[in-house]
Amino acid sequence: TITLIFRAGVFLLVFGLSILLIKSVRREVEQRERLQKLSEDLEKANEKLKELDQLKSEFLSFAAHQVKAPMNVVKGFAELIADGTYGQVSDEAKEKAKRIKLKADETVGLVNNLLDLRKIEEGKMEFKYEPLEVVAFIKGMVDDYQVIAKDKNPSLTFESGVPTFTMSADKEKLRQVIQNLIDNSLKYTQAGFVKVRVN
């Protein structure tokens, strides 16, 4: 009788351990299946992201072309006015036409910089450092914005604590920063004034 009970106990123990082992194996199989499905889903998502990245690059290229083409036309007309092709104009008109051409060139340069988005994402943004007279550079930008800010609140003024100040900088990158600061200041200042100052 004792032997029978012992055998029954061993059988029940082995049976219980077998059930636990089967459940454990089953859970592991289910986990592997879930991981496999997750891996497949991630792979599909990655492929989708690659497609979207390609579409983004194509869109940026298209958008750049749509902006650069009319700006080149504007630049061309400004050159024709400045050189007298359309007839004699005043010296002031010639100067304004030359400034229009300059602004068109700068706009095309900014568009080209926007196309460097991929370089930014990859940490490969290139900088072109050169000596830059900061006071005249920033004052020129403020003068350009006077056309926009004229007769509006807030008023836009420029001050400098030094007559000249030269430093090594990437001209186009610095232009983007200053333009964003002036744009946002004019946009979000409801009343009063915006003062750009170089110390």
Side-chain angles (χ1 to χ4, degrees):
T1 303
I2 295 175
T3 302
L4 182 61
I5 293 173
F6 176 74
R7 288 180 177 178
V10 170
F11 172 76
L12 291 174
L13 179 62
V14 171
F15 181 72
L17 291 174
S18 298
I19 292 176
L20 292 175
L21 180 61
I22 291 171
K23 287 183 177 180
S24 177
V25 171
R26 187 174 179 180
R27 280 197 301 269
E28 185 175 349
V29 170
E30 290 175 350
Q31 288 177 351
R32 288 184 179 181
E33 289 176 348
R34 285 196 295 269
L35 288 173
Q36 178 66 27
K37 187 176 185 306
L38 180 60
S39 177
E40 292 174 356
D41 291 342
L42 287 174
E43 187 174 348
K44 291 178 181 178
N46 190 44
E47 289 298 322
K48 187 65 175 177
L49 286 174
K50 288 180 179 179
E51 292 177 8
L52 291 174
D53 188 59
Q54 179 63 30
L55 288 173
K56 179 192 68 178
S57 298
E58 293 175 0
F59 171 76
L60 284 174
S61 179
F62 172 77
H65 174 74
Q66 296 303 308
V67 173
K68 288 165 68 176
M71 290 311 300
N72 284 326
V73 172
V74 170
K75 182 174 70 172
F77 278 119
E79 288 177 337
L80 293 174
I81 293 172
D83 65 21
T85 300
Y86 290 130
Q88 291 298 319
V89 296
S90 67
D91 290 340
E92 183 181 359
K94 287 182 180 180
E95 186 61 31
K96 295 299 183 184
K98 290 178 181 179
R99 197 153 188 81
I100 290 172
K101 177 185 177 301
L102 176 63
K103 293 296 117 182
D105 286 333
E106 290 175 356
T107 300
V108 172
L110 288 173
V111 171
N112 288 333
N113 285 335
L114 289 176
L115 292 180
D116 286 340
L117 182 61
R118 181 175 296 278
K119 290 184 180 180
I120 296 176
E121 293 172 344
E122 295 176 354
K124 297 179 181 178
M125 173 56 68
E126 298 174 357
F127 293 89
K128 182 180 178 182
Y129 291 98
E130 58 184 316
L132 178 65
E133 207 297 290
V134 178
V135 176
F137 177 71
I138 297 179
K139 183 180 184 305
M141 295 181 64
V142 173
D143 289 343
D144 292 336
Y145 271 91
Q146 293 295 355
V147 177
I148 300 174
K150 186 179 180 181
D151 300 327
K152 291 184 178 180
N153 266 336
S155 62
L156 176 63
T157 59
F158 174 80
E159 287 185 4
S160 177
V162 293
T164 61
F165 172 52
T166 301
M167 72 176 193
S168 179
D170 186 307
K171 185 176 181 179
E172 294 308 317
K173 303 294 189 304
L174 182 60
R175 186 189 306 280
Q176 291 179 43
V177 173
I178 302 301
Q179 281 185 340
N180 285 337
L181 288 172
I182 296 176
D183 275 333
N184 289 333
S185 297
L186 291 173
K187 180 178 180 180
Y188 295 108
T189 303
Q190 302 300 321
F193 63 90
V194 172
K195 181 186 292 184
V196 179
R197 180 176 173 82
V198 178
N199 288 324

